[in-house]
PDB file of all heavy atoms in Angstrom:
ATOM      1  N   ASP B 279     138.288 127.762  97.135  1.00 95.00           N
ATOM      2  CA  ASP B 279     138.382 129.098  97.732  1.00 95.00           C
ATOM      3  C   ASP B 279     137.134 129.453  98.542  1.00 95.00           C
ATOM      4  O   ASP B 279     137.200 130.342  99.415  1.00 95.00           O
ATOM      5  CB  ASP B 279     138.545 130.140  96.616  1.00 95.00           C
ATOM      6  CG  ASP B 279     139.967 130.120  96.017  1.00 95.00           C
ATOM      7  OD1 ASP B 279     140.776 129.319  96.574  1.00 95.00           O
ATOM      8  OD2 ASP B 279     140.214 130.844  95.051  1.00 95.00           O
ATOM      9  N   ASP B 280     136.029 128.857  98.185  1.00 95.00           N
ATOM     10  CA  ASP B 280     134.764 129.209  98.895  1.00 95.00           C
ATOM     11  C   ASP B 280     134.569 128.373 100.146  1.00 95.00           C
ATOM     12  O   ASP B 280     133.631 128.585 100.913  1.00 95.00           O
ATOM     13  CB  ASP B 280     133.528 128.950  97.985  1.00 95.00           C
ATOM     14  CG  ASP B 280     133.520 129.916  96.785  1.00 95.00           C
ATOM     15  OD1 ASP B 280     134.370 130.840  96.779  1.00 95.00           O
ATOM     16  OD2 ASP B 280     132.661 129.721  95.903  1.00 95.00           O
ATOM     17  N   ILE B 281     135.464 127.413 100.366  1.00 96.00           N
ATOM     18  CA  ILE B 281     135.288 126.513 101.521  1.00 96.00           C
ATOM     19  C   ILE B 281     136.140 127.023 102.694  1.00 96.00           C
ATOM     20  O   ILE B 281     137.357 127.134 102.584  1.00 96.00           O
ATOM     21  CB  ILE B 281     135.725 125.071 101.141  1.00 96.00           C
ATOM     22  CG1 ILE B 281     134.826 124.535  99.977  1.00 96.00           C
ATOM     23  CG2 ILE B 281     135.591 124.138 102.345  1.00 96.00           C
ATOM     24  CD1 ILE B 281     135.259 123.171  99.444  1.00 96.00           C
ATOM     25  N   SER B 282     135.484 127.412 103.785  1.00 96.00           N
ATOM     26  CA  SER B 282     136.175 127.870 104.948  1.00 96.00           C
ATOM     27  C   SER B 282     135.259 127.526 106.178  1.00 96.00           C
ATOM     28  O   SER B 282     134.070 127.308 106.020  1.00 96.00           O
ATOM     29  CB  SER B 282     136.455 129.368 104.888  1.00 96.00           C
ATOM     30  OG  SER B 282     135.212 130.064 105.063  1.00 96.00           O
ATOM     31  N   PRO B 283     135.852 127.551 107.372  1.00 95.00           N
ATOM     32  CA  PRO B 283     135.054 127.198 108.542  1.00 95.00           C
ATOM     33  C   PRO B 283     133.829 128.099 108.721  1.00 95.00           C
ATOM     34  O   PRO B 283     132.783 127.640 109.148  1.00 95.00           O
ATOM     35  CB  PRO B 283     136.025 127.405 109.691  1.00 95.00           C
ATOM     36  CG  PRO B 283     137.374 127.249 109.099  1.00 95.00           C
ATOM     37  CD  PRO B 283     137.293 127.765 107.717  1.00 95.00           C
ATOM     38  N   GLU B 284     133.943 129.349 108.316  1.00 96.00           N
ATOM     39  CA  GLU B 284     132.809 130.265 108.557  1.00 96.00           C
ATOM     40  C   GLU B 284     131.833 130.295 107.370  1.00 96.00           C
ATOM     41  O   GLU B 284     130.786 130.883 107.457  1.00 96.00           O
ATOM     42  CB  GLU B 284     133.351 131.732 108.727  1.00 96.00           C
ATOM     43  CG  GLU B 284     134.155 131.935 109.998  1.00 96.00           C
ATOM     44  CD  GLU B 284     135.553 131.362 109.843  1.00 96.00           C
ATOM     45  OE1 GLU B 284     136.110 131.389 108.737  1.00 96.00           O
ATOM     46  OE2 GLU B 284     136.046 130.851 110.865  1.00 96.00           O
ATOM     47  N   ALA B 285     132.179 129.600 106.296  1.00 96.00           N
ATOM     48  CA  ALA B 285     131.310 129.640 105.118  1.00 96.00           C
ATOM     49  C   ALA B 285     129.960 128.996 105.413  1.00 96.00           C
ATOM     50  O   ALA B 285     129.881 127.949 106.079  1.00 96.00           O
ATOM     51  CB  ALA B 285     131.976 128.914 103.950  1.00 96.00           C
ATOM     52  N   THR B 286     128.890 129.649 104.991  1.00 96.00           N
ATOM     53  CA  THR B 286     127.536 129.049 105.140  1.00 96.00           C
ATOM     54  C   THR B 286     127.266 128.263 103.880  1.00 96.00           C
ATOM     55  O   THR B 286     127.896 128.426 102.834  1.00 96.00           O
ATOM     56  CB  THR B 286     126.467 130.146 105.289  1.00 96.00           C
ATOM     57  OG1 THR B 286     126.444 130.907 104.066  1.00 96.00           O
ATOM     58  CG2 THR B 286     126.770 131.055 106.449  1.00 96.00           C
ATOM     59  N   PHE B 287     126.240 127.417 104.019  1.00 94.00           N
ATOM     60  CA  PHE B 287     125.851 126.623 102.821  1.00 94.00           C
ATOM     61  C   PHE B 287     125.433 127.552 101.715  1.00 94.00           C
ATOM     62  O   PHE B 287     125.655 127.326 100.546  1.00 94.00           O
ATOM     63  CB  PHE B 287     124.753 125.609 103.156  1.00 94.00           C
ATOM     64  CG  PHE B 287     125.292 124.441 103.904  1.00 94.00           C
ATOM     65  CD1 PHE B 287     125.289 124.362 105.294  1.00 94.00           C
ATOM     66  CD2 PHE B 287     125.894 123.421 103.186  1.00 94.00           C
ATOM     67  CE1 PHE B 287     125.834 123.260 105.948  1.00 94.00           C
ATOM     68  CE2 PHE B 287     126.419 122.289 103.847  1.00 94.00           C
ATOM     69  CZ  PHE B 287     126.403 122.223 105.232  1.00 94.00           C
ATOM     70  N   GLU B 288     124.790 128.669 102.107  1.00 93.00           N
ATOM     71  CA  GLU B 288     124.358 129.662 101.142  1.00 93.00           C
ATOM     72  C   GLU B 288     125.577 130.282 100.433  1.00 93.00           C
ATOM     73  O   GLU B 288     125.559 130.436  99.191  1.00 93.00           O
ATOM     74  CB  GLU B 288     123.544 130.759 101.825  1.00 93.00           C
ATOM     75  CG  GLU B 288     122.730 131.628 100.857  1.00 93.00           C
ATOM     76  CD  GLU B 288     121.925 132.685 101.609  1.00 93.00           C
ATOM     77  OE1 GLU B 288     121.814 132.558 102.867  1.00 93.00           O
ATOM     78  OE2 GLU B 288     121.481 133.624 100.944  1.00 93.00           O
ATOM     79  N   ASP B 289     126.598 130.580 101.197  1.00 94.00           N
ATOM     80  CA  ASP B 289     127.837 131.150 100.611  1.00 94.00           C
ATOM     81  C   ASP B 289     128.380 130.160  99.550  1.00 94.00           C
ATOM     82  O   ASP B 289     128.978 130.571  98.552  1.00 94.00           O
ATOM     83  CB  ASP B 289     128.975 131.278 101.651  1.00 94.00           C
ATOM     84  CG  ASP B 289     128.658 132.338 102.692  1.00 94.00           C
ATOM     85  OD1 ASP B 289     127.835 133.221 102.375  1.00 94.00           O
ATOM     86  OD2 ASP B 289     129.241 132.268 103.801  1.00 94.00           O
ATOM     87  N   MET B 290     128.183 128.895  99.830  1.00 94.00           N
ATOM     88  CA  MET B 290     128.761 127.878  98.897  1.00 94.00           C
ATOM     89  C   MET B 290     127.782 127.500  97.780  1.00 94.00           C
ATOM     90  O   MET B 290     128.006 126.574  97.054  1.00 94.00           O
ATOM     91  CB  MET B 290     129.190 126.639  99.687  1.00 94.00           C
ATOM     92  CG  MET B 290     130.336 126.911 100.662  1.00 94.00           C
ATOM     93  SD  MET B 290     130.882 125.420 101.568  1.00 94.00           S
ATOM     94  CE  MET B 290     129.620 125.286 102.804  1.00 94.00           C
ATOM     95  N   ASP B 291     126.706 128.307  97.705  1.00 92.00           N
ATOM     96  CA  ASP B 291     125.688 128.098  96.635  1.00 92.00           C
ATOM     97  C   ASP B 291     125.022 126.779  96.750  1.00 92.00           C
ATOM     98  O   ASP B 291     124.759 126.102  95.741  1.00 92.00           O
ATOM     99  CB  ASP B 291     126.328 128.335  95.271  1.00 92.00           C
ATOM    100  CG  ASP B 291     125.266 128.547  94.169  1.00 92.00           C
ATOM    101  OD1 ASP B 291     124.159 128.925  94.515  1.00 92.00           O
ATOM    102  OD2 ASP B 291     125.603 128.305  92.985  1.00 92.00           O
ATOM    103  N   LEU B 292     124.767 126.341  97.971  1.00 93.00           N
ATOM    104  CA  LEU B 292     124.060 125.048  98.169  1.00 93.00           C
ATOM    105  C   LEU B 292     122.724 125.322  98.818  1.00 93.00           C
ATOM    106  O   LEU B 292     122.638 126.103  99.803  1.00 93.00           O
ATOM    107  CB  LEU B 292     124.917 124.170  99.094  1.00 93.00           C
ATOM    108  CG  LEU B 292     126.342 123.813  98.568  1.00 93.00           C
ATOM    109  CD1 LEU B 292     127.105 123.013  99.627  1.00 93.00           C
ATOM    110  CD2 LEU B 292     126.240 123.002  97.267  1.00 93.00           C
ATOM    111  N   ASP B 293     121.671 124.724  98.314  1.00 92.00           N
ATOM    112  CA  ASP B 293     120.310 124.963  98.828  1.00 92.00           C
ATOM    113  C   ASP B 293     119.884 123.798  99.692  1.00 92.00           C
ATOM    114  O   ASP B 293     120.666 122.875  99.988  1.00 92.00           O
ATOM    115  CB  ASP B 293     119.327 125.230  97.689  1.00 92.00           C
ATOM    116  CG  ASP B 293     119.231 124.069  96.708  1.00 92.00           C
ATOM    117  OD1 ASP B 293     119.589 122.940  97.064  1.00 92.00           O
ATOM    118  OD2 ASP B 293     118.732 124.347  95.569  1.00 92.00           O
ATOM    119  N   SER B 294     118.588 123.804 100.080  1.00 89.00           N
ATOM    120  CA  SER B 294     118.142 122.807 101.034  1.00 89.00           C
ATOM    121  C   SER B 294     118.196 121.383 100.450  1.00 89.00           C
ATOM    122  O   SER B 294     118.437 120.442 101.184  1.00 89.00           O
ATOM    123  CB  SER B 294     116.698 123.108 101.478  1.00 89.00           C
ATOM    124  OG  SER B 294     115.816 123.081 100.370  1.00 89.00           O
ATOM    125  N   LEU B 295     118.005 121.261  99.142  1.00 91.00           N
ATOM    126  CA  LEU B 295     118.109 119.942  98.525  1.00 91.00           C
ATOM    127  C   LEU B 295     119.556 119.438  98.572  1.00 91.00           C
ATOM    128  O   LEU B 295     119.796 118.270  98.846  1.00 91.00           O
ATOM    129  CB  LEU B 295     117.626 119.947  97.075  1.00 91.00           C
ATOM    130  CG  LEU B 295     116.128 120.219  96.888  1.00 91.00           C
ATOM    131  CD1 LEU B 295     115.795 120.402  95.422  1.00 91.00           C
ATOM    132  CD2 LEU B 295     115.310 119.057  97.451  1.00 91.00           C
ATOM    133  N   ASP B 296     120.503 120.370  98.368  1.00 92.00           N
ATOM    134  CA  ASP B 296     121.899 120.014  98.437  1.00 92.00           C
ATOM    135  C   ASP B 296     122.239 119.562  99.891  1.00 92.00           C
ATOM    136  O   ASP B 296     123.070 118.672 100.066  1.00 92.00           O
ATOM    137  CB  ASP B 296     122.806 121.206  98.070  1.00 92.00           C
ATOM    138  CG  ASP B 296     122.704 121.561  96.617  1.00 92.00           C
ATOM    139  OD1 ASP B 296     122.650 120.650  95.781  1.00 92.00           O
ATOM    140  OD2 ASP B 296     122.693 122.758  96.282  1.00 92.00           O
ATOM    141  N   LEU B 297     121.620 120.213 100.839  1.00 92.00           N
ATOM    142  CA  LEU B 297     121.889 119.891 102.230  1.00 92.00           C
ATOM    143  C   LEU B 297     121.482 118.454 102.545  1.00 92.00           C
ATOM    144  O   LEU B 297     122.192 117.722 103.250  1.00 92.00           O
ATOM    145  CB  LEU B 297     121.187 120.903 103.112  1.00 92.00           C
ATOM    146  CG  LEU B 297     121.704 121.047 104.576  1.00 92.00           C
ATOM    147  CD1 LEU B 297     123.205 121.154 104.655  1.00 92.00           C
ATOM    148  CD2 LEU B 297     121.050 122.239 105.237  1.00 92.00           C
ATOM    149  N   VAL B 298     120.369 118.031 101.976  1.00 91.00           N
ATOM    150  CA  VAL B 298     119.936 116.641 102.152  1.00 91.00           C
ATOM    151  C   VAL B 298     120.968 115.698 101.497  1.00 91.00           C
ATOM    152  O   VAL B 298     121.323 114.689 102.094  1.00 91.00           O
ATOM    153  CB  VAL B 298     118.539 116.417 101.478  1.00 91.00           C
ATOM    154  CG1 VAL B 298     118.128 114.962 101.643  1.00 91.00           C
ATOM    155  CG2 VAL B 298     117.512 117.338 102.098  1.00 91.00           C
TER     156      VAL B 298
END
Side-chain angles (χ1 to χ4, degrees):
Chain B
D279 286 355
D280 293 354
I281 300 174
S282 71
E284 294 75 34
T286 64
F287 283 95
E288 196 180 346
D289 293 337
M290 294 182 283
D291 196 21
L292 299 174
D293 62 18
S294 62
L295 292 172
D296 291 321
L297 200 46
V298 178

